[in-house]
Amino acid sequence: MAAVDDLKFQGKEFDDAANLLAANPDATTISIDEPEIPKNQHSRLQEPRREEDDELLGTDDSDKTELLAGQKKSAPFWTFEYYQTFFDVDTYQVLDRIKGSVFPVPGKNFVRLYIRSNPDLYGPFWICATLVFTIAVSGNLSNFFIHLGKPTYHYVPQFRKVSIAATAIYAYAWLVPLALWGFLMWRNSKVMNIVSYSFLEIVCVYGYSLFVYIPTAILWIIPEKVVRWVLMIFSLCLSGSVLVMTFWPAVRDDNRRIALATIGTVVLLHALLAVGCLAYFFDAPELDFPAPIIPARNGTTVVTKSL
């Protein structure tokens, strides 16, 4: 019925136009059509800018992802199902995220490429645990090799280094992301263009960025200070670049000084962790062991001096 009515309406308009032309044969008709921009051309003009923003800020399909994540984690926080979702990740995803943290791609956002689809705590937890034992064991072995061959040295395992390493690394992996998340939320209320990551995403980034220190801590066993510090600087550049490329797009639209101060603080805290672990666990000052006292047969004592 709608098609028939449209045909009748168009026919009536045609008859009216014919009558007007018959009454005034000298009149000219002008057809005015509103120019239309093809949809594909219009979308093509906006596509580069949109892709650039999505690439740097990681906002592509973020609303849909957050909605799905909210539906997925709808269980109460005191239930086991709520925390089970944080460990819902397979081996291939963990390995892919580890590879992305060790070989960062310039200009790519780590959250957008690896984390946003499914942030997890499985990888960060076990990376931190492995790093704790690697640093503690490697520090003990390094101390053993440094003093190996000295007659006055007796190796005693220092198990307290495990607890010290665990406190330092887990405090860094949780407290620094918490402070950064709170800061981004506060700046988001001040500046509308600030992109705020979730707390779980920030923890995930920090956890995976620490993986490069695991093989580095093993190589720190080499009893050469120059080699150790070169390895530390190299690892710091790799892991620090992951943090900078992730959080710089989130603060670049803020005040210039505040943005630079934020990134500088992130890099400084990351460097303090690396330098502190190297200095405390591996570059500890060499102990001056007392020379043993050996009693002589004539009743006198002889003090031996170790070389």
Side-chain angles (χ1 to χ4, degrees), residues 4 11 32 45 65 100 123 128 165 167 179 195 197 241 255 301:
V4 175
I32 301 176
L45 293 176
T65 303
C128 292
T167 302
V195 176
Y197 298 117
S241 62
N255 183 275
T301 59

Side-chain angles (χ1 to χ4, degrees), residues 240-258:
S241 62
V242 175
L243 300 179
V244 171
M245 289 188 295
T246 300
F247 297 113
W248 171 248
V251 298
R252 64 176 182 175
D253 292 332
D254 201 346
N255 183 275
R256 191 71 175 179
R257 292 183 178 180
I258 296 178

Side-chain angles (χ1 to χ4, degrees), residues 90-276:
D90 55 36
T91 305
Y92 296 102
Q93 286 179 316
V94 173
L95 293 178
D96 192 37
R97 294 172 182 183
I98 290 176
K99 187 187 302 181
S101 66
V102 176
F103 304 103
V105 181
K108 299 295 183 180
N109 193 311
F110 186 80
V111 172
R112 181 181 184 272
L113 291 179
Y114 303 102
I115 304 301
R116 178 146 288 181
S117 60
N118 184 24
D120 71 287
L121 292 179
Y122 179 86
F125 175 81
W126 286 111
I127 288 175
C128 292
T130 306
L131 182 59
V132 166
F133 286 99
T134 303
I135 288 179
V137 173
S138 298
N140 278 275
L141 290 177
S142 175
N143 188 45
F144 172 76
F145 290 136
I146 288 175
H147 302 95
L148 183 63
K150 296 183 179 180
T152 58
Y153 174 71
H154 300 281
Y155 174 72
V156 178
Q158 299 178 353
F159 294 104
R160 61 185 179 86
K161 287 187 175 181
V162 178
S163 59
I164 295 175
T167 302
I169 292 173
Y170 276 102
Y172 173 80
W174 284 93
L175 296 181
V176 174
L178 179 62
L180 182 59
W181 172 73
F183 176 78
L184 292 178
M185 293 293 291
W186 173 64
R187 295 306 301 173
N188 189 28
S189 63
K190 301 291 182 179
V191 183
M192 296 303 297
N193 293 331
I194 295 295
V195 176
S196 181
Y197 298 117
S198 67
F199 174 67
L200 184 59
E201 290 173 345
I202 298 177
V203 171
C204 203
V205 174
Y206 268 87
Y208 281 103
S209 68
L210 295 176
F211 177 83
V212 70
Y213 290 112
I214 296 177
T216 303
I218 298 175
L219 294 176
W220 278 346
I221 299 176
I222 301 174
E224 291 292 337
K225 288 188 176 182
V226 177
V227 176
R228 292 174 177 175
W229 283 92
V230 170
L231 291 172
M232 188 274 295
I233 295 174
F234 178 74
S235 302
L236 178 62
C237 292
L238 282 180
S239 57
S241 62
V242 175
L243 300 179
V244 171
M245 289 188 295
T246 300
F247 297 113
W248 171 248
V251 298
R252 64 176 182 175
D253 292 332
D254 201 346
N255 183 275
R256 191 71 175 179
R257 292 183 178 180
I258 296 178
L260 293 177
T262 303
I263 298 300
T265 303
V266 169
V267 175
L268 178 61
L269 293 175
H270 203 62
L272 286 177
L273 177 69
V275 174

Side-chain angles (χ1 to χ4, degrees), residues 69-101:
Q71 293 177 354
K72 182 180 179 181
K73 302 174 183 177
S74 58
F77 71 91
W78 60 83
T79 61
F80 178 77
E81 289 78 9
Y82 177 81
Y83 298 96
Q84 187 178 9
T85 57
F86 298 151
F87 296 85
D88 186 13
V89 65
D90 55 36
T91 305
Y92 296 102
Q93 286 179 316
V94 173
L95 293 178
D96 192 37
R97 294 172 182 183
I98 290 176
K99 187 187 302 181
S101 66

